[in-house]
């Protein structure tokens, strides 16, 4: 038995070095927004995108925090 994990449905290309050894993860942040995280194995460039638009890391971190309801 062999385990093969190759998510090839969508080939992600690194914006930095145009390499294709990119780990691509889709996740949902605390505020419910769905974002894509891509990490390049070649140059270690990391990027966040939402619906194809780039996101700043600080924005992602803010959204990943627990939302406090105003009292
Ligand atoms: Zn790269």
């Amino acid at each position: 038995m062999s385990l093969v994990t190759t998510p090839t449905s969508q080939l992600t290309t690194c914006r930095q070095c145009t390499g294709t050894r990119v780990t691509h993860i889709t996740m949902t942040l605390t505020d419910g927004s769905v974002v894509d995280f891509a990490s390049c194995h070649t140059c270690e460039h990391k990027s966040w995108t939402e619906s194809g638009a780039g996101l700043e890391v600080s924005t992602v971190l803010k959204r990943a925090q627990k939302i406090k309801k105003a009292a």
Side-chain angles (χ1 to χ4, degrees), residues 13-22 39-45:
T13 307
C14 175
R15 294 183 189 179
Q16 196 78 11
C17 71
T18 67
T20 52
R21 293 183 61 214
V22 177
S39 173
C40 177
H41 292 270
T42 305
C43 71
E44 297 189 348
H45 176 74

